[in-house]
Amino acid sequence: MATKIPVTVITGFLGSGKTSLIRHLLQNNQGRRIAVLVNEFGELGIDGELLKSCQICPEDEDDGSNIFELTNGCLCCTVQEEFYPTMQELIKRRDSIDCILIETSGLALPKPLIKAFRWQEIRAAATVDAVITVVDCEAVASGTFASNPEAIAAQRQADDSLEHETPLQELFEDQLACADLVVLNKTDLVDIATKHRVEELIKQELPRVVKIVASDRGTLDASILLGFQAAVEDDLDSRPSHHDSEEEHEHDEEITSTHLILNRTFDPEKLQAQLQKLAHQQEIYRIKGFVAVANKPMRLVMQGVGTRFDKFYDRPWKPQELQQTSLVFIGRDLKSSEIESQLVAL
């Protein structure tokens, strides 16, 4: 009987750095033939495009490294609709695949996805090697999705809207509870004392001993992330979550996404300043997308978590490609028309 394909599930909240981690792993794959499944929240395939631009992932579907975008909502809610047939296709090609990476949506619960690996058709051919949970160190340090009452109280004083985020707190805890490894990302944005404090907060949320490794932009060696052989699908009882007693789980229906495509260029600094204003005006958790910049032959990637932004040029525009600005916004009760009007006016 052929060896089962090891599957690594990479989870973590919005903007934690999951895609950066996978990009680095693909660019330093050490000869591994890796298939990647991307589950995105929103209609535009931003994360899938970012992974394709790493120049390791070819667009030819006959190659060993392929991108499968699952774009019709949270993966844990759609495993019977998209995940299952995608896994069936990968299993048919198991001789040309060394491992599979699944990047979940930042709003996904890991356990329902892992339970799908108990299905007989998948169980015989694939196993969950490990769950990697990526954590934004600075976000936790600021009191976001941490169980420390004092930190939460301080955050509430600064932001009245925080009282509405209890479901996201539970989601953060569930993602940690399922982890075989926690990647504490963006540690370059905090000092040593803050990093240690965040590590202690995370340890309080973990139901068992789990290693925590620090990372700057997901630059970790493949040997750290792969090869756990944890068979997670057989070990779910040791990974308690808030939703274990529920037959189904429901996401906060007020958390939505909207996207905007504009056939124009932007000044990056002016656009970032306007996006930061929007993040103050509305409850926007995440902004990501591609920006066309005047007199620049390359595509600009812009990503924001709250009011903190990062941007870089990832690849040249293709000859027949429309040089558009495409942005996805994820948040609560978004006012799409206001977002569009403010950006159009720039």
Side-chain angles (χ1 to χ4, degrees), residues 260-321:
L260 187 63
I261 299 177
L262 297 172
N263 294 313
R264 54 162 292 185
T265 62
F266 284 91
D267 176 282
E269 300 306 321
K270 291 181 179 178
L271 176 60
Q272 178 176 318
Q274 189 61 52
L275 293 174
Q276 288 172 325
K277 288 181 182 178
L278 280 166
H280 278 296
Q281 294 168 359
Q282 298 192 38
E283 198 168 344
I284 298 174
Y285 301 133
R286 188 83 163 95
I287 300 172
K288 55 185 178 180
F290 306 112
V291 181
V293 180
N295 303 316
K296 288 287 186 180
M298 298 189 73
R299 184 175 70 174
L300 180 69
V301 177
M302 184 169 287
Q303 304 180 91
V305 181
T307 58
R308 190 183 72 227
F309 278 77
D310 180 34
K311 52 185 182 291
F312 60 92
Y313 290 96
D314 72 325
R315 66 163 174 80
W317 292 101
K318 298 176 183 178
Q320 305 302 320
E321 186 177 15

Side-chain angles (χ1 to χ4, degrees), residues 200-344:
E200 290 304 313
L201 285 169
I202 290 173
K203 287 177 182 177
Q204 292 173 21
E205 298 292 351
L206 295 170
R208 62 198 188 289
V209 177
V210 172
K211 290 290 186 182
I212 302 173
V213 296
S215 168
D216 175 7
R217 299 178 186 271
T219 53
L220 292 172
D221 190 88
S223 62
I224 298 174
L225 302 170
L226 305 176
F228 280 71
Q229 299 181 337
V232 180
E233 66 273 16
D234 296 326
D235 185 41
L236 287 178
D237 289 343
S238 69
R239 303 161 192 256
S241 78
H242 291 281
H243 302 273
D244 286 343
S245 61
E246 300 176 8
E247 290 297 320
E248 297 181 1
H249 72 274
E250 296 182 0
H251 295 309
D252 189 334
E253 294 182 357
E254 293 182 358
I255 300 175
T256 59
S257 73
T258 186
H259 69 272
L260 187 63
I261 299 177
L262 297 172
N263 294 313
R264 54 162 292 185
T265 62
F266 284 91
D267 176 282
E269 300 306 321
K270 291 181 179 178
L271 176 60
Q272 178 176 318
Q274 189 61 52
L275 293 174
Q276 288 172 325
K277 288 181 182 178
L278 280 166
H280 278 296
Q281 294 168 359
Q282 298 192 38
E283 198 168 344
I284 298 174
Y285 301 133
R286 188 83 163 95
I287 300 172
K288 55 185 178 180
F290 306 112
V291 181
V293 180
N295 303 316
K296 288 287 186 180
M298 298 189 73
R299 184 175 70 174
L300 180 69
V301 177
M302 184 169 287
Q303 304 180 91
V305 181
T307 58
R308 190 183 72 227
F309 278 77
D310 180 34
K311 52 185 182 291
F312 60 92
Y313 290 96
D314 72 325
R315 66 163 174 80
W317 292 101
K318 298 176 183 178
Q320 305 302 320
E321 186 177 15
L322 289 176
Q323 297 188 21
Q324 298 174 315
T325 295
S326 307
L327 296 169
V328 172
F329 300 80
I330 301 171
R332 187 188 298 274
D333 193 24
L334 297 178
K335 300 176 177 61
S336 303
S337 59
E338 291 183 12
I339 292 173
E340 181 173 5
S341 63
Q342 291 191 37
L343 295 185
V344 169

